[in-house]
Amino acid sequence: MSRGLAGSRLVPLTIAGPAGRLEALLQEHEARDHAITALVCHPHPLYGGTMHNKVTHRAASVLHELGAAALRFNFRGTGASEGRHDQGVGEVEDARAALRFLAERYPTARRWVGGFSFGAGVAARLAATEPGIERLILIAPPVLNTSFDALRTLAIPKLVFQGMDDTVCPPPALFADFAGWAEPKELVKIPGATHFFDRQLGALADAMREALTPLVGGVG
């Protein structure tokens, strides 16, 4: 266990998943209840994505800074997590197991779910099939190779952060897909940011703080 922000801690965990143990890291505040939990899903594991990815790490850190207990984890077959990659199908069940862990640890907390790139697709499918999720946070959702059709009828509030120089998820493709998603929804554009937010992580963090701070309520 390590400590970062005053009164907070980073806890290495092993979570029971449907394909075996899942490696995870939990950022939580000491000696306090948490009004919000936030699950953050990482990018594609076959292309080097892990819970240590810089965008996943920054997103979890901002959510924790805003008062949430933030959990990131490695999908099956990634890092020390057991199992094999399952093309995004089993990964949704991995995320469900991680969300269940948060619900058991903080039973009265509001539940937020987010993800970056491949993780955004997993988070979206989880939110469409799991009751009780209050908010969905998507960073650079890869609409060209992942279906987000479930969001066309999903009434959960959706907050999307998109780099305007992204060539993996080109903004015009996202805008067209996003137009068909159900309300409520909000799209935050980050000028000059690529898919991996190279040299723009600070801009992403600032955009997240600006959009999310009014939504955390009593957390702070």
Side-chain angles (χ1 to χ4, degrees):
M1 181 177 67
S2 62
R3 286 172 170 79
L5 295 172
S8 69
R9 60 190 175 193
L10 181 64
V11 185
L13 297 169
T14 299
I15 296 171
R21 293 173 296 180
L22 297 172
E23 180 185 20
L25 287 170
L26 175 67
Q27 292 170 269
E28 63 181 359
H29 297 273
E30 296 177 338
R32 61 176 288 182
D33 292 330
H34 290 74
I36 295 175
T37 61
L39 177 66
V40 183
C41 300
H42 69 73
H44 208 301
L46 296 189
Y47 300 96
T50 75
M51 66 177 175
H52 302 294
N53 166 267
K54 63 184 181 181
V55 178
T56 305
H57 176 271
R58 184 61 64 95
S61 295
V62 170
L63 288 160
H64 177 63
E65 174 191 321
L66 294 176
L71 179 68
R72 48 196 164 101
F73 69 100
N74 277 331
F75 289 124
R76 59 185 63 194
T78 304
S81 291
E82 296 177 334
R84 299 179 62 182
H85 178 67
D86 194 31
Q87 304 297 325
V89 178
E91 285 77 8
V92 174
E93 300 312 311
D94 294 342
R96 200 183 311 277
L99 190 68
R100 185 182 310 117
F101 167 85
L102 285 173
E104 291 172 353
R105 191 175 181 95
Y106 311 104
T108 64
R110 296 146 59 193
R111 298 195 289 175
W112 292 5
V113 171
F116 164 53
S117 196
F118 172 87
V122 172
R125 293 193 294 278
L126 176 64
T129 58
E130 180 71 22
I133 294 173
E134 180 185 272
R135 186 167 304 279
L136 182 61
I137 302 166
L138 306 178
I139 302 172
V143 297
L144 291 183
N145 54 38
T146 300
S147 174
F148 287 83
D149 286 350
L151 302 189
R152 294 180 176 274
T153 56
L154 186 66
I156 294 172
K158 293 163 282 292
L159 182 58
V160 181
F161 297 93
Q162 175 64 35
M164 294 306 289
D165 287 353
D166 190 338
T167 58
V168 176
C169 175
L174 173 61
F175 300 160
D177 211 69
F178 179 82
W181 297 358
E183 297 285 354
K185 59 186 178 181
E186 180 181 356
L187 175 60
V188 178
K189 304 173 184 177
I190 302 176
T194 63
H195 187 67
F196 293 99
F197 293 87
D198 298 312
R199 297 180 296 280
Q200 293 289 340
L201 284 176
L204 172 63
D206 289 343
M208 290 184 66
R209 291 186 192 99
E210 182 176 354
L212 292 168
T213 297
L215 305 175
V216 297
V219 180

